[in-house]
Amino acid sequence: MPEGHTIRRLARTHTTRFVGHEVAVSSPQGRFARDAELVDGRVLQRADAHGKHLFHVYADDLVVHVHLGLYGKFSLSAGEVTPPRGQVRMRMVGPTHWADLRGPIACEVLTEGEVEGLRSRLGADPLRRDTDPETAWARISRSRAPLATLLMDQSVIAGVGNVYRAEVLFRHGLDPLLPGRELGRERWEAVWADLAVLLADGVRRGAIDTVRPEDRTGRGRQVYVYRRTGQPCRVCGTEIQRRTHASRNLFWCETCQAAT
């Protein structure tokens, strides 16, 4: 599933290509047709993101809300608009670029009030300037749930997915099963600051790269533990482990992230 950096990057791209212009909005597939008519031909005023949720804000209290889910994807093209390929839920056509959305779990028009209600159920987003990390800490510091669960809970921290979870826990030497209330304020602040840096770097690169310079081998995108089952830890050489946790794969190093 795309993580928060991907959605923030989409919001920035759509701001550059569509905001301030009239946008022709349609639904070649048909499933978004009625809502598309509400915003078709209107000026896109703002594109925003909160965690894994994307918002296109139009006038008259109309907001297109998109959640990509596991399989959703936006494509962006320039120049001549070509006939739709595949199941295009929403097509946006601006003065210079056009975008097709396929496979989202949510694509709907909401009011500003409905958007605020949705956002009120989301946790702190490390990529938002208006976020309050204290709300996340208040939940984590009282919880018996393991960090591996809490970091993936979008009502606690919005935008963190399986990759960033595994990587930030490794980077701070944290046992994924450590209860949140045993984390401590100092380690929490370090984790939050690191998430903000890693996610912002992901926005800039358009990819997740979490390995520190001193631990790198070769070039290209690198991670410490995610999908590296059986490979040697980049720091200590221990084989990376994998287990299923809350129906998702969890990766960690038994040595660097040993329970204390």
Side-chain angles (χ1 to χ4, degrees):
M1 180 181 295
E3 303 196 26
H5 72 293
T6 299
I7 310 307
R8 175 57 59 183
R9 189 177 174 90
L10 277 173
R12 290 186 178 183
T13 299
H14 293 171
T15 296
T16 301
R17 302 305 185 191
F18 300 108
V19 165
H21 302 286
E22 291 183 356
V23 181
V25 181
S26 62
S27 180
Q29 179 194 56
R31 291 180 58 183
F32 181 63
R34 184 170 297 179
D35 278 2
E37 291 176 359
L38 298 175
V39 295
D40 181 33
R42 293 178 180 268
V43 174
L44 180 60
Q45 297 181 333
R46 188 172 77 257
D48 197 8
H50 189 148
K52 300 178 183 181
H53 298 260
L54 177 68
F55 304 99
H56 288 165
V57 181
Y58 295 87
D60 297 326
D61 200 25
L62 297 170
V63 182
V64 175
H65 164 238
V66 173
H67 190 300
L68 295 180
L70 282 172
Y71 305 110
K73 186 176 182 179
F74 265 105
S75 61
L76 181 69
S77 304
E80 181 182 357
V81 180
T82 61
R85 286 179 142 189
Q87 298 297 305
V88 178
R89 183 78 56 86
M90 177 174 70
R91 169 166 282 190
M92 304 169 59
V93 181
T96 61
H97 289 73
W98 50 283
D100 282 345
L101 171 65
R102 298 175 177 86
I105 60 171
C107 179
E108 59 189 345
V109 170
L110 303 177
T111 66
E112 289 278 10
E114 289 170 328
V115 170
E116 286 307 308
L118 187 159
R119 290 190 58 202
S120 71
R121 298 189 293 274
L122 297 175
D125 181 345
L127 287 173
R128 292 188 65 91
R129 294 180 181 179
D130 61 356
T131 205
D132 182 7
E134 289 299 314
T135 61
W137 172 238
R139 291 276 302 277
I140 291 170
S141 63
R142 298 194 303 264
S143 180
R144 293 184 174 87
L147 293 176
T149 300
L150 293 166
L151 290 182
M152 291 280 282
D153 186 339
Q154 298 301 296
S155 70
V156 178
I157 302 177
V160 173
N162 211 7
V163 186
Y164 282 119
R165 170 184 69 174
E167 295 299 299
V168 79
L169 288 173
F170 177 88
R171 283 166 62 94
H172 293 271
L174 293 169
D175 173 14
L177 300 184
L178 180 75
R181 64 181 186 176
E182 295 180 20
L183 177 61
R185 179 78 188 211
E186 184 176 352
R187 290 194 293 184
W188 154 249
E189 290 180 350
V191 166
W192 175 265
D194 203 24
L195 282 172
V197 170
L198 291 173
L199 282 157
D201 183 68
V203 174
R204 181 178 63 84
R205 293 175 184 267
I208 298 176
D209 190 324
T210 63
V211 177
R212 298 182 175 100
E214 61 270 25
D215 299 325
R216 300 187 71 83
T217 54
R219 299 181 179 180
R221 169 186 177 272
Q222 296 182 15
V223 292
Y224 281 107
V225 295
Y226 181 72
R227 286 187 175 176
R228 296 192 66 243
T229 308
Q231 297 182 49
C233 173
R234 296 184 186 277
V235 175
C236 73
T238 302
E239 285 191 3
I240 299 302
Q241 302 297 306
R242 181 190 64 82
R243 64 176 291 178
T244 301
H245 179 84
S247 301
R248 301 294 298 275
N249 286 324
L250 174 65
F251 305 88
W252 81 104
C253 171
E254 290 180 320
T255 300
C256 293
Q257 297 171 262
T260 57

